[in-house]
Amino acid sequence: MLNLFLLQTLNGVQFGIMLFLVAAGLTLIFGVMDLINLSHGVLYMVGAYFAATFVALTGSFVLGLLLALPAALLLGVVLELAVFRRLYDRDHLDQVLATFGLILILNESVKVIWGAAPLSVPVPAALSGSVELFGNFRYPLYRVVIIAAGLATAAGLYVLVNFTRVGMLLRAGASNAPMVSALGVDIRRLFTLVFGLGAMLAGLAGALVAPILSVEPGMGDSVLILTFVVIVIGGVGSVRGAFIAAILVGVVDTVGRVFGPIWLRAVLDPAAASQTGRTLAPMLIYVLMAMVLFFRPRGLFPVRGAGAAASSNVAPSHIAERGAPSRGAGFAALAIFALLASLPLLSAMTGNAFMLVIATRIMIFALAALSLDLILGYGALVSFGHAAFVGIGAYAVAILNAYGVGDLLVQAVVAVAAAALFALVTGAISLRTRGVYFIMITLAFGQMLYFLMVSLSAFGGDDGYTLRSRSTVFGLPLLEDGTVLFYVVLGVLAAAFVLARTLVASRFGRVLRGTRDNAVRMRAIGFSPLPYQLTAYVVAGCLAALAGVLLANQVEFVSPAYMSWQRSGELIVMVVLGGMGTLVGPIAGAAVFIMLEEWLAAFSQHWKLGFGLILLLIVLASKDGVGGLVKRLFTPFRAGAAHG
Amino acid sequence: MLRIEGLENAYGDQRVLFGVDFDVGAGEVVTLLGRNGMGKTTTVKSIFGLLPPKAGRVLIDGENVAGRAPFEIARRGLGLVPEGRHVFPTLTVEENLVATRRIPRDGAPRWTLEAVYGLFPRLRERRRNAGSQLSGGEQQMLAIGRALMTNPRLVVLDEATEGLAPLIREEIWACLAAIRNAGEAILVIDKNIEALTRFADRHVVIEKGRVVWSGSSDELRRTPDIKERFLHV
Amino acid sequence: MAEAAGALLSVRNLSKRFGALVVTDDVSLDIAQGELHAIIGPNGAGKTTLIHQLSGMLASDGGRVLLAGEDITRLPMHARVRRGLARSFQITTLLDGFTALENVALAVQARSGSSFRFIAPAASERALNEEGLAILTRLGLEDRAQRRAGALSHGEKRQLEIAVALATGARTLLLDEPLAGTSHEESATLVALMRSLKRTHTLVLIEHDMDAVFALADRVSVLVYGRLIASGRPQDVRADAQVRAAYLGDEGA
């Protein structure tokens, strides 16, 4: 038992060290450049692929590793020069969108180059086997080497940051980058250097674990989320914080997974203990993060002056409509709804039944995007976990369906109640934080729920779960008819639109909009923002849950993928592409997004590559951000409406 | 060495500078005078590229550097002591001095750590303290020392003694005199006109984003209405 | 220094430090109801920091702030506003995307019933708009009511800043350099307004315009390096040798 505990603790330390290597670069990039880089996890994946390729090529692990590192460094530098350099002056939202696009590009490129099948890297012969650490306790030699290499890197980083001129400039830059530049230091070169270094460290982590994990596309995504948790706990910009938090997260996660079920046996019967333990263990680190942030909203080691923590996520100029909803937007919505209402007729006339299926799907995601716009566009709250609420709605249908409760209204009520509760709890914690912390913490809460569903083996876990039937309405199987479903979805969307439009124009909505534009001003006239933001967060969550209820009904299938962070990212893309703070924009955004997806998917299985490129290019091409671009498109239309 | 021609700038749609012209010769001490909100700090930010000018030229040794990155401008021999001091709070005093140190290409640096400590003995005592642990006067000394360590030919001081106790002000003025005697040109903004007239060669008065008067210290003393019209508090 | 009794706003041994830098150094001050109390001092003396502490935007490191006898030292800014202590900002802080009228009406809304109302459009609530418009009219901004705050001239923004503070309904106002950057006419409007407010409001004024300060103030306090070096009637403060040395005399008054 003690040996098992030691073994798992060491495994946790080894895992934590890996996380640290990825987190170190990311936290520096946040701290010094105030850049939120979602694609940092991809660099970890690419590092593993580089290692796999070079090891196979040279036949030597050491040589392969030595080649993989400069390759990762080079990739980091190239990315910095080509992409990131253009993002430093942008708001966090643009950074999120651009790096989200970059993930799609790099993940898909890896599939194109190396294929989708996992690669494996052999553990070098000299490092295989295990060593006796103390007493009769043995531990795999390769893992010892990883721990040692990680600790050596951490020590090197410590020396670099604290005792070298570059380190001084890094710390100086983190508190005041323009001042460093005004004293004659080329801050851009420093940024490129930091970026390259961060990429190399992430690549090193990937290369080191390549022999003990399978090298596959998307392996960076889960690491990225954990890295966010690490950075948030440690304090954005603090390398020391990242180190301590990484070890903490690594150990808690690893030990919790093994010992959670064992410890639970003290209070539960073995079968229940193992089931509950397996379900709860993956959530442990998120609970840890929530607890840390509740008491210290800026992490354990907050870095003074780190802009990342304080600045707003959305530049006010990027909001398409800053007043109450305009009449023009209302007319646009009327036109869209009229067009949609006539669609079944059009579909029947042309004999194109698929049109209706796509339109239903578009409307469901439009509902989710519309709900996100309530907090993103009207609250400037960049929630990166909104898909979780869609998932709550979908799973409410699936679970009730499995227990024989098939009525749509009952399901909807349960879904909305569950979403409200989840929003209330996670919102109360998340809204205490600001800036990138808010983005990362909502992301982490979304992932927490994702892992909860993955561990629900009764509902198919990772593979998802097929519904027995669509929901009934007053006992009648009305929704089995696609046209009825279409009109139900249209009705819900239209009602949600009217509700949201009323809401943002009301007293409540005016406070929300005012807080978005200037929270200090709102406090100075006597408003405390939190209750209003939290209410909006709950309402948005409930509407998104309704989208989930409808989604489960349309596809008659639920899966944790509904609530993945990629889905949350897609919802943000829909809102931003359509026009933040317009309510009608997100509906158009959802339509464009889903049709683009269908269209690109018809071309190639690697359609995400094209999609990522389009997204990235849009962000880079529009100087005042995607929001600004959309706003410009909106302006003549609004002016016309105002004169007419 | 520094010549400003027709400098215009704005924050968003709010114009602040409407064509500022003046120059600073090698080894010369020039002041920028004017009431609050008249555009003095904006002029400094424009010179250093921290707020790129909307129009006009910033010439250093005859080369226009308007629109260049701040570091490129600083490297041509300008050292900034900004309003509010902006010492790096998480760096020690010595790190503040060393981090952005620059040694001129043409030989030995005039300003070394020893020279700066010689000028401000207080900084030597506090070399291991973090920037955030300094008093206002010490922060000002550090900001001046930090600029000197880049071995500039022109030191630009924005609000050299603002908010400092009288004794510390005197100390700062004495050090600036020492810097001038070492051959450095100085462009200084301050409200302490008495001290400035003792100390400077020429004065430039800015009112509502324009230069409304310029002349020598003697001329300033002989024209008391300048003080009353543009600097009167 | 006056006794706390009768004082509406009492400041007791207030302090604030940023690192080793003491910005508010043991400040004690009593401001009587209906008084216009000006705080003057050189730049960097800590005047704005003091206003931040009084308004609740910055937490104090020591000392107490009492409003009508109630200890408000630990209250957040919005709670102080609801107790009748509001402020304006030196750096204009408005809702740029909202109209001038909405900026004011929102401050009226904050004290007129719950804002957890979700149905009726706020922009067409007559009571809020009428009261808002009355305040705009008082500042001569009525013909700017429908213009976006961000599109107003600098001087108009400064006036709107005061209008919003007034609209909170607070009877004690902390005004941080209201005249900075205003034209002569705008200054005159604001000075006249402050004079008329003396009948109904208690005002704490930070201002660099000495003509305005000595014309308006009932009492003047001088803050230098975070310490109060003098406090009293304007003519006494003006004559104070220490004040002249530290501040006024220096600048050729």
Side-chain angles (χ1 to χ4, degrees):
Chain A
M1 190 72 183
L2 181 67
N3 273 0
L4 178 65
F5 185 72
L6 267 177
L7 179 77
Q8 291 306 333
T9 306
L10 273 178
N11 280 345
V13 169
Q14 181 253 303
F15 183 46
I17 288 209
M18 298 291 325
L19 288 177
F20 168 70
L21 289 179
V22 184
L26 195 55
T27 204
L28 276 177
I29 291 164
F30 275 138
V32 180
M33 305 161 204
D34 190 12
L35 175 86
I36 179 161
N37 177 17
L38 297 180
S39 60
H40 198 74
V42 177
L43 296 168
Y44 159 87
M45 169 189 72
V46 171
Y49 272 98
F50 280 160
T53 306
F54 289 127
V55 168
L57 221 60
T58 60
S60 151
F61 182 79
V62 176
L63 217 53
L65 190 66
L66 286 180
L67 284 171
L69 291 186
L73 178 80
L74 189 69
L75 179 67
V77 169
V78 168
L79 284 177
E80 200 275 341
L81 293 176
V83 178
F84 293 104
R85 176 161 284 196
R86 293 156 216 276
L87 295 175
Y88 297 141
D89 296 334
R90 301 296 191 79
D91 63 6
H92 290 144
L93 186 59
D94 274 356
Q95 296 171 354
V96 160
L97 290 171
T99 57
F100 183 65
L102 207 54
I103 294 180
L104 298 179
I105 295 170
L106 290 174
N107 266 342
E108 217 52 42
S109 300
V110 162
K111 279 189 205 161
V112 172
I113 297 169
W114 283 285
L119 303 182
S120 67
V121 178
V123 176
L127 301 178
S128 58
S130 60
V131 284
E132 216 160 82
L133 285 184
F134 25 76
N136 60 351
F137 177 71
R138 299 186 69 81
Y139 196 66
L141 177 59
Y142 186 71
R143 286 178 186 260
V144 175
V145 170
I146 292 185
I147 293 178
L151 287 177
T153 311
L157 212 52
Y158 179 78
V159 171
L160 177 80
V161 169
N162 289 299
F163 300 108
T164 67
R165 187 107 175 266
V166 168
M168 289 176 204
L169 289 175
L170 277 180
R171 282 178 286 138
S175 56
N176 195 340
M179 192 63 228
V180 175
S181 181
L183 285 163
V185 175
D186 184 352
I187 197 95
R188 288 178 305 183
R189 225 173 56 198
L190 187 71
F191 284 5
T192 310
L193 183 82
V194 173
F195 221 94
L197 183 72
M200 192 172 74
L201 289 177
L204 172 66
L208 282 176
V209 294
I212 53 176
L213 292 176
S214 71
V215 178
E216 57 190 350
M219 67 185 281
D221 296 359
S222 55
V223 167
L224 175 75
I225 309 296
L226 290 176
T227 312
F228 277 178
V229 173
V230 165
I231 291 177
V232 165
I233 291 178
V236 168
S238 164
V239 175
R240 178 174 56 145
F243 183 77
I244 290 167
I247 302 293
L248 197 65
V249 166
V251 171
V252 167
D253 190 54
T254 310
V255 173
R257 275 170 205 270
V258 177
F259 284 88
I262 297 174
W263 289 330
L264 274 175
R265 261 179 240 162
V267 285
L268 295 171
D269 69 90
S274 107
Q275 171 62 39
T276 318
R278 248 182 301 144
T279 308
L280 294 183
M283 297 170 60
L284 265 181
I285 53 166
Y286 300 102
V287 176
L288 177 72
M289 176 189 74
M291 279 183 344
V292 168
L293 285 191
F294 191 80
F295 293 107
R296 308 196 62 153
R298 293 179 66 183
L300 294 176
F301 298 94
V303 173
R304 271 167 48 101
S311 53
S312 170
N313 287 324
V314 184
S317 59
H318 290 186
I319 306 287
E321 267 194 354
R322 290 172 70 189
S326 67
R327 207 173 285 178
F331 288 134
L334 260 181
I336 288 177
F337 285 128
L339 178 75
L340 283 169
S342 60
L343 215 59
L345 194 68
L346 203 67
S347 150
M349 270 164 29
T350 57
N352 184 349
F354 189 62
M355 185 195 286
L356 219 53
V357 175
I358 288 292
T360 307
R361 186 175 171 79
I362 286 175
M363 290 192 297
I364 291 170
F365 280 96
L367 176 59
L370 172 92
S371 70
L372 179 60
D373 194 26
L374 266 183
I375 47 175
L376 178 58
Y378 291 95
L381 299 167
V382 180
S383 166
F384 215 114
H386 203 61
F389 295 103
V390 177
I392 288 176
Y395 271 90
V397 171
I399 292 169
L400 288 173
N401 185 294
Y403 287 102
V405 183
D407 188 83
L408 183 67
L409 283 179
V410 176
Q411 290 170 345
V413 167
V414 171
V416 166
L421 187 69
F422 186 70
L424 206 59
V425 173
T426 61
I429 297 169
S430 310
L431 287 168
R432 287 170 60 88
T433 66
R434 294 275 164 272
V436 292
Y437 285 90
F438 182 80
I439 300 178
M440 289 193 274
I441 195 173
T442 49
L443 178 63
F445 276 129
Q447 283 307 103
M448 180 179 89
L449 211 61
Y450 171 83
F451 285 120
L452 179 69
M453 294 309 164
V454 167
S455 65
L456 270 189
S457 45
F459 290 90
D462 222 354
D463 298 326
Y465 176 82
T466 305
L467 268 59
R468 287 186 215 156
S469 62
R470 283 184 181 165
S471 308
T472 53
V473 182
F474 303 119
L476 302 172
L478 295 176
L479 298 185
E480 300 296 338
D481 180 349
T483 309
V484 174
L485 180 68
F486 175 90
Y487 277 113
V488 168
V489 174
L490 177 61
V492 173
L493 177 62
F497 176 79
V498 172
L499 173 82
R501 204 175 147 84
T502 310
L503 213 61
V504 295
S506 72
R507 276 190 170 209
F508 168 80
R510 185 150 80 172
V511 177
L512 191 64
R513 285 182 281 126
T515 306
R516 166 192 73 191
D517 286 3
N518 194 333
V520 171
R521 167 41 74 200
M522 296 304 282
R523 289 197 179 92
I525 58 175
F527 288 110
S528 164
L530 185 71
Y532 300 94
Q533 292 178 324
L534 186 57
T535 307
Y537 194 75
V538 170
V539 172
C542 293
L543 288 178
L546 283 182
V549 168
L550 298 172
L551 183 64
N553 268 294
Q554 190 195 14
V555 291
E556 298 179 58
F557 173 74
V558 296
S559 144
Y562 287 1
M563 47 177 77
S564 69
W565 67 282
Q566 289 92 337
R567 267 296 152 76
S568 295
E570 290 171 14
L571 290 177
I572 295 179
V573 172
M574 290 176 198
V575 175
V576 176
L577 284 186
M580 273 183 288
T582 61
L583 295 176
V584 65
I587 300 178
V592 170
F593 185 96
I594 285 171
M595 288 193 286
L596 194 64
E597 187 182 273
E598 290 290 327
W599 181 66
L600 286 172
F603 270 110
S604 153
Q605 56 167 327
H606 298 299
W607 65 273
K608 280 188 177 168
L609 186 62
F611 191 81
L613 269 173
I614 291 174
L615 186 59
L616 183 63
L617 289 177
I618 289 178
V619 177
L620 291 185
S622 53
K623 259 242 150 94
D624 48 352
V626 181
L629 182 78
V630 173
K631 188 182 169 185
R632 277 203 302 279
L633 294 176
F634 246 79
T635 310
F637 160 69
R638 275 185 63 204
H643 292 305
Chain B
M1 63 162 293
L2 175 71
R3 175 184 286 275
I4 310 296
E5 290 176 358
L7 194 67
E8 292 179 25
N9 220 332
Y11 293 98
D13 50 6
Q14 192 189 330
R15 288 185 69 187
V16 184
L17 300 183
F18 297 85
V20 170
D21 304 85
F22 66 92
D23 53 47
V24 184
E28 207 180 10
V29 178
V30 176
T31 72
L32 273 186
L33 302 173
R35 279 180 293 210
N36 279 335
M38 291 300 150
K40 303 186 299 286
T41 293
T42 310
T43 304
V44 170
K45 284 186 175 170
S46 307
I47 292 172
F48 275 87
L50 290 165
L51 189 71
K54 300 282 184 283
R57 304 205 294 166
V58 175
L59 300 160
I60 299 177
D61 301 330
E63 185 196 358
N64 185 16
V65 295
R68 306 290 278 272
F71 77 90
E72 291 176 296
I73 295 169
R75 281 183 184 179
R76 284 175 167 72
L78 267 57
L80 176 63
V81 183
E83 182 187 21
R85 298 154 202 145
H86 294 287
V87 303
F88 301 117
T90 52
L91 271 61
T92 65
V93 166
E94 192 150 314
E95 286 176 333
N96 262 285
L97 293 172
V98 171
T100 53
R101 162 180 63 191
R102 198 166 57 254
I103 294 160
R105 277 193 213 112
D106 54 354
R110 198 164 359 188
W111 292 102
T112 58
L113 211 48
E114 276 312 306
V116 170
Y117 285 153
L119 191 62
F120 299 114
R122 197 103 67 106
L123 292 182
R124 191 200 302 271
E125 293 163 27
R126 308 213 61 179
R127 62 204 284 179
R128 305 252 173 266
N129 288 103
S132 61
Q133 294 170 327
L134 302 184
S135 74
E138 289 165 342
Q139 287 191 13
Q140 185 64 33
M141 294 172 194
L142 180 55
I144 295 172
R146 183 179 64 178
L148 290 176
M149 290 289 283
T150 68
N151 286 288
R153 291 175 296 145
L154 168 66
V155 184
V156 180
L157 290 112
D158 193 352
E159 300 293 359
T161 62
E162 186 176 55
L164 300 181
L167 275 178
I168 305 207
R169 284 188 184 184
E170 289 310 316
E171 204 175 329
I172 301 270
W173 292 124
C175 289
L176 288 186
I179 293 165
R180 179 192 56 188
N181 293 339
E184 241 77 60
I186 299 177
L187 176 63
V188 57
I189 293 175
D190 203 276
K191 297 204 181 50
N192 211 323
I193 296 165
E194 296 312 317
L196 287 176
T197 36
R198 266 187 275 135
F199 165 75
D201 302 311
R202 288 191 298 117
H203 306 273
V204 175
V205 178
I206 293 191
E207 168 88 1
K208 304 220 155 137
R210 287 189 180 83
V211 173
V212 290
W213 187 87
S214 62
S216 68
S217 285
D218 282 342
E219 285 170 314
L220 184 64
R221 272 188 220 108
R222 269 180 276 140
T223 6
D225 71 304
I226 292 296
K227 273 208 250 177
E228 231 147 75
R229 263 168 56 208
F230 302 114
L231 312 169
H232 167 71
V233 185
Chain C
M1 201 149 285
E3 281 303 303
L8 181 63
L9 185 64
S10 287
V11 181
R12 285 283 161 270
N13 309 100
L14 206 63
S15 68
K16 179 78 197 172
R17 39 179 79 232
F18 294 128
L21 201 61
V22 180
V23 274
T24 305
D25 191 357
D26 196 31
V27 169
S28 293
L29 197 60
D30 284 303
I31 292 155
Q33 180 139 20
E35 173 175 301
L36 193 154
H37 195 118
I39 297 174
I40 62 172
N43 276 332
K47 301 185 298 292
T48 292
T49 302
L50 183 61
I51 293 284
H52 281 339
Q53 290 175 267
L54 296 183
S55 65
M57 201 162 136
L58 263 184
S60 297
D61 294 327
R64 294 193 305 154
V65 182
L66 301 159
L67 182 69
E70 185 194 2
D71 190 336
I72 59 167
T73 316
R74 308 234 162 272
L75 288 184
M77 182 153 64
H78 62 89
R80 297 186 195 200
V81 176
R82 302 213 156 194
R83 281 166 178 75
L85 177 69
R87 66 167 296 175
S88 74
F89 291 86
Q90 183 190 2
I91 298 162
T92 306
T93 302
L94 295 165
L95 303 172
D96 285 344
F98 284 45
T99 64
L101 178 60
E102 273 206 292
N103 268 280
V104 184
L106 195 50
V108 179
Q109 178 186 322
R111 60 179 159 88
S112 321
S114 171
S115 279
F116 278 97
R117 293 190 199 159
F118 304 96
I119 307 297
S124 33
E125 278 197 47
R126 266 180 67 189
L128 302 185
N129 289 344
E130 277 168 10
E131 197 169 344
L133 200 59
I135 293 164
L136 288 183
T137 308
R138 201 163 170 193
L139 281 127
L141 285 172
E142 67 276 17
D143 55 340
R144 292 285 181 269
Q146 296 306 328
R147 188 170 289 193
R148 277 198 318 107
L152 296 177
S153 76
H154 177 70
E156 288 167 344
K157 284 182 186 168
R158 296 303 300 157
Q159 291 181 300
L160 185 56
E161 179 81 32
I162 307 302
V164 173
L166 261 186
T168 61
R171 290 297 165 152
T172 307
L173 299 179
L174 312 167
L175 305 179
D176 194 353
E177 294 199 31
L179 304 181
T182 55
S183 71
H184 281 295
E185 301 90 77
E186 287 159 346
S187 280
T189 312
L190 286 173
V191 168
L193 175 81
M194 284 189 268
R195 186 167 288 131
S196 72
L197 284 177
K198 283 169 72 172
R199 269 175 267 139
T200 47
H201 288 67
T202 305
L203 299 175
V204 179
L205 173 69
I206 291 181
E207 192 44 67
H208 278 294
D209 184 335
M210 289 303 134
D211 294 339
V213 165
F214 286 105
L216 283 170
D218 300 308
R219 300 211 312 146
V220 175
S221 290
V222 184
L223 198 66
V224 179
Y225 324 123
R227 291 188 79 94
L228 275 189
I229 60 163
S231 193
R233 293 184 305 155
Q235 58 268 40
D236 299 341
V237 168
R238 209 203 278 265
D240 188 308
Q242 204 187 350
V243 173
R244 293 187 70 85
Y247 182 40
L248 295 171
D250 217 41
E251 310 251 326

